[in-house]
Amino acid sequence: MGETATITQLQTKNLSKVQMRFAHNFEIGDVIMPTRDYKRRGLSKGQLYEVVGQTTDKLTLKSDDGSHLEVDTTFDKAVYHSQEIEIAVGDRLQWKKNDRQLGRRNGQEFTVTAIGQEKAQIQYLDGHTESISLFPAQNLDYGWVSTTYSSQGKTANRVLIAADFTIGQESFYVAASRAKHELKIYTEDPTRLLELAQESKAKENALELLRTQVKESQQQQLVNVSNEVSTVATETVISTPVVQPVLKSVASNVQSNLEASTALPLVQPVIQETPDATKVFEKPILKPKTSVPNVAFWTPYSAPSPEHIDPEHWQELVEKKRDSPRNCSFEL
């Protein structure tokens, strides 16, 4: 049995679902694994296919048996970048993908105990052993370091923390609480690290974020309504004329000339009396009616013609129409 061996490592290629739908985002040598069976395309769930060619909208895949398949890019899949790494007896490795069938967890660590021609013997931290193949590509990586997220629930005698500006209160607590006996922290700015370790970077869920946005929107509406009411009140006050009282200065006759030149004049308001309504509106005076004579002041052939007519006789002649003025003729 040899002390070292070469194994193909698969690293996740971070492509979005939209990017996976376009062939130009794939490279020759990428490895594709369908997430379910596609019989029409000839693809099986969990099998690895190597990209050996590409066109504008299609990919040419190579299967384990050497056959080539030309497929489109609209099926659900995982995309990996493959590279070869060297492993040796005593190396600590970790899985980078969950596998329910084999009982493997993402971040689960193990140690290489023996290396053969086609397989290697590994041992987990709980003492469980397993044999893995060296030829198919594997989702594994070196276990020399681990992220804060993957180290949750683990402990070690000595812990080294590489802290940068991405660390927060939660991640710093998780990293620092992994050590049993010794802890060392490496950072470029200790002062900045102290500030970041006191700031929480916990993510809010969608419901809490929605509630916060609704609350802020309601508060903003109340502020806008209050500002509008204040603006209307201000405009009303400005547009209303203010009547100032008429002031009249009255000089004191007792002051001397010197005191009169230096002292301020005494100002007293002049109060105007409100007119009495009984004086403004007086009772109308009704003129007595003149009695209309019932006896004619003159009849023909009774007396000589009068030289003039009194006003009351004109009233009798015109208004009462006892005789038409057109039929009246006078000789003076």
Side-chain angles (χ1 to χ4, degrees):
M1 300 179 70
E3 295 292 334
T4 61
T6 301
I7 190 172
T8 303
Q9 175 195 30
L10 295 179
Q11 292 182 342
T12 303
K13 195 172 184 179
N14 295 323
L15 296 178
S16 64
K17 292 184 178 181
V18 176
Q19 292 174 332
M20 290 184 184
R21 300 179 66 88
F22 298 95
H24 65 269
N25 292 320
F26 297 85
E27 298 178 358
I28 304 299
D30 287 348
V31 178
I32 295 177
M33 184 184 69
T35 56
R36 64 186 183 90
D37 294 331
Y38 293 93
K39 294 182 179 181
R40 294 184 179 181
R41 297 182 177 90
L43 302 176
S44 300
K45 176 182 178 180
Q47 296 295 324
L48 299 178
Y49 300 88
E50 182 182 358
V51 178
V52 295
Q54 63 179 165
T55 59
T56 305
D57 55 353
K58 291 187 177 182
L59 297 174
T60 302
L61 306 180
K62 180 182 178 181
S63 61
D64 293 338
D65 58 4
S67 61
H68 290 71
L69 304 172
E70 188 175 6
V71 298
D72 58 272
T73 59
T74 58
F75 61 95
D76 296 334
K77 55 193 172 295
V79 184
Y80 302 97
H81 174 70
S82 63
Q83 66 176 6
E84 293 185 351
I85 61 174
E86 186 178 3
I87 62 174
V89 176
D91 285 347
R92 175 174 288 187
L93 306 176
Q94 59 179 341
W95 298 114
K96 303 302 293 183
K97 182 179 180 294
N98 294 326
D99 193 331
R100 294 182 179 179
Q101 295 180 354
L102 299 177
R104 298 172 181 174
R105 304 187 309 273
N106 183 17
Q108 186 179 12
E109 296 181 354
F110 56 90
T111 304
V112 179
T113 58
I115 298 176
Q117 294 295 330
E118 297 181 356
K119 294 183 178 182
Q121 295 292 329
I122 62 175
Q123 183 179 5
Y124 295 99
L125 299 179
D126 59 358
H128 175 67
T129 60
E130 183 182 347
S131 178
I132 62 174
S133 177
L134 298 176
F135 291 104
Q138 301 284 353
N139 294 96
L140 52 77
D141 197 0
Y142 294 111
W144 300 331
V145 295
S146 61
T147 61
T148 304
Y149 180 80
S150 61
S151 64
Q152 297 185 52
K154 300 178 182 179
T155 56
N157 294 330
R158 299 174 64 248
V159 174
L160 306 178
I161 301 177
D164 56 5
F165 64 92
T166 61
I167 200 170
Q169 182 180 7
E170 294 78 12
S171 58
F172 182 80
Y173 172 78
V174 172
S177 59
R178 302 305 96 194
K180 290 183 178 180
H181 304 294
E182 184 179 0
L183 172 65
K184 291 184 178 180
I185 302 176
Y186 298 87
T187 182
E188 295 180 355
D189 190 350
T191 304
R192 179 57 178 166
L193 175 62
L194 182 60
E195 296 176 356
L196 294 175
Q198 297 176 358
E199 297 178 1
S200 176
K201 292 187 177 181
K203 295 182 179 179
E204 297 180 348
N205 57 39
L207 183 59
E208 291 179 354
L209 182 60
L210 181 61
R211 289 176 178 175
T212 302
Q213 292 178 351
V214 171
K215 185 176 180 180
E216 292 178 355
S217 178
Q218 293 176 352
Q219 292 178 353
Q220 185 64 31
Q221 291 179 359
L222 293 176
V223 172
N224 295 337
V225 172
S226 177
N227 293 338
E228 291 178 0
V229 173
S230 177
T231 303
V232 171
T234 303
E235 293 178 354
T236 305
V237 172
I238 293 176
S239 60
T240 304
V242 179
V243 179
Q244 299 291 343
V246 179
L247 303 179
K248 183 178 180 182
S249 60
V250 179
S252 178
N253 297 327
V254 185
Q255 294 178 341
S256 60
N257 294 334
L258 181 59
E259 292 177 350
S261 60
T262 57
L264 295 176
L266 180 61
V267 178
Q268 295 180 355
V270 177
I271 301 176
Q272 299 180 355
E273 296 182 357
T274 303
D276 190 0
T278 57
K279 296 182 180 180
V280 175
F281 300 98
E282 297 179 356
K283 185 177 181 180
I285 300 174
L286 300 179
K287 295 182 180 181
K289 295 182 179 180
T290 57
S291 60
V292 179
N294 297 325
V295 181
F297 69 94
W298 175 78
T299 57
Y301 309 108
S302 63
S305 300
E307 295 182 354
H308 67 278
I309 299 177
D310 297 331
E312 60 272 13
H313 295 157
W314 272 112
Q315 182 178 2
E316 178 187 358
L317 180 65
V318 177
E319 294 181 4
K320 300 300 180 179
K321 297 182 181 179
R322 294 193 175 185
D323 193 1
S324 176
R326 298 179 179 178
N327 298 329
C328 297
S329 60
F330 302 95
E331 294 180 359
L332 299 176

